[in-house]
Amino acid sequence: MRPSDSYSSFAYAESFFFLLLGMQNAPRSVRLSMRSLAIAGALLFLVPFSLAAASVADVLRAGDEAAVSRGEFVRAAVQLIGVPEGEKKLPYRRVPKSLVPSIKAAYAKGALTVFGAELYSSRPILRGEALAVLVSLKGLSSGPATGFRDLRGVPDEMAIGVQVAIDQKWMEPKADGVFGVKEILKGKDARILLRKVMGEDQVEEEGDGVPTIHINFTGSQTRATTELPKSQILEA
């Protein structure tokens, strides 16, 4: 966590504390309004700042059926995961200026080896390539997947990415014995993949028609799921 994040967390906690103190002697109507603000403040304090900084829809805006380029996907993954920019000089030609910081970050993590000697950032990214990039950026590892015919002759990074995707439930095979590593990744599927990688759950409609939102808090070693207090929000 950066120093600015620590300061922001402390500021939220301090403001929340004094808000609770001020509720004690306030009129009932004021207390209700303050209570709503207090709940909102508590939720903001609980949500990691990295989630507030970027969402999948913000960083990857390709159409549902549009092919996602290599550069687009790498930039989105780097921004969501929060990979710091690398200092190494890029060996690739003609990398768009807007992509350079993200490409440098991914290159420093060794996440671009699946593309070979040249990036070709405007080319559509394949499902297997996307998985290889994500596994490297997340620092995950596994043995290579087996049992899929389309894994024959592909780079090791792809086969490892497939196994991690299966273990983590990021992506399903396209057919029996065929994972689909050489198929182009489309916008809708790319966003679903990134949401799964980031631990985001879908909004679920309950019987009363009010959505319950589940947020997964992920760390380097642990993972927990927290449900937002819908009933308390409605009472306020």
Side-chain angles (χ1 to χ4, degrees):
M1 179 180 288
R2 300 185 303 271
S4 58
D5 289 344
S6 299
Y7 176 79
S8 298
S9 299
F10 176 78
Y12 272 117
E14 184 182 41
S15 300
F16 182 56
F17 173 74
F18 283 110
L19 180 60
L20 291 177
L21 287 180
M23 290 173 62
Q24 301 303 317
N25 299 317
R28 184 176 183 277
S29 60
V30 176
R31 289 203 307 270
L32 289 175
S33 297
M34 294 179 71
R35 184 183 175 199
S36 298
L37 289 173
I39 292 174
L43 297 181
L44 286 174
F45 179 71
L46 287 172
V47 175
F49 291 94
S50 59
L51 290 180
S55 69
V56 173
D58 289 334
V59 299
L60 187 60
R61 298 185 177 183
D64 286 354
E65 295 302 318
V68 178
S69 72
R70 292 174 172 180
E72 284 179 302
F73 188 84
V74 171
R75 177 172 58 190
V78 165
Q79 291 178 357
L80 289 168
I81 296 171
V83 183
E85 183 176 345
E87 299 297 329
K88 293 182 179 180
K89 183 179 179 181
L90 293 175
Y92 311 121
R93 298 171 294 172
R94 296 187 293 275
V95 176
K97 188 175 181 179
S98 62
L99 294 177
V100 168
S102 298
I103 299 301
K104 277 189 172 182
Y107 179 72
K109 292 278 288 185
L112 305 180
T113 58
V114 69
F115 301 125
E118 187 58 63
L119 177 61
Y120 299 114
S121 62
S122 62
R123 282 188 182 178
I125 194 168
L126 307 180
R127 281 162 49 100
E129 292 171 343
L131 293 177
V133 169
L134 290 170
V135 167
S136 293
L137 291 180
K138 295 283 287 184
L140 303 175
S141 63
S142 175
T146 58
F148 297 102
R149 295 188 298 274
D150 56 336
L151 288 180
R152 295 169 187 164
V154 304
D156 290 341
E157 296 94 333
M158 276 197 192
I160 292 171
V162 167
Q163 188 59 54
V164 172
I166 293 172
D167 294 341
Q168 300 291 328
K169 296 180 172 57
W170 288 351
M171 187 182 282
E172 298 290 334
K174 280 290 187 177
D176 186 27
V178 177
F179 195 86
V181 291
K182 298 177 183 178
E183 293 190 16
I184 292 173
L185 185 65
K186 302 293 184 66
K188 182 179 179 180
D189 292 334
R191 281 185 286 274
I192 292 173
L193 171 62
L194 289 171
R195 288 189 180 104
K196 289 182 178 180
V197 171
M198 297 307 296
E200 296 181 13
D201 289 339
Q202 295 182 350
V203 176
E204 301 173 1
E205 290 288 338
E206 293 191 349
D208 55 7
V210 179
T212 295
I213 302 172
H214 299 276
I215 297 177
N216 292 331
F217 296 88
T218 57
S220 57
Q221 299 295 332
T222 61
R223 172 174 174 173
T225 302
T226 299
E227 182 174 325
L228 303 187
K230 181 191 67 175
S231 58
Q232 294 182 25
I233 296 174
L234 292 178
E235 291 174 0

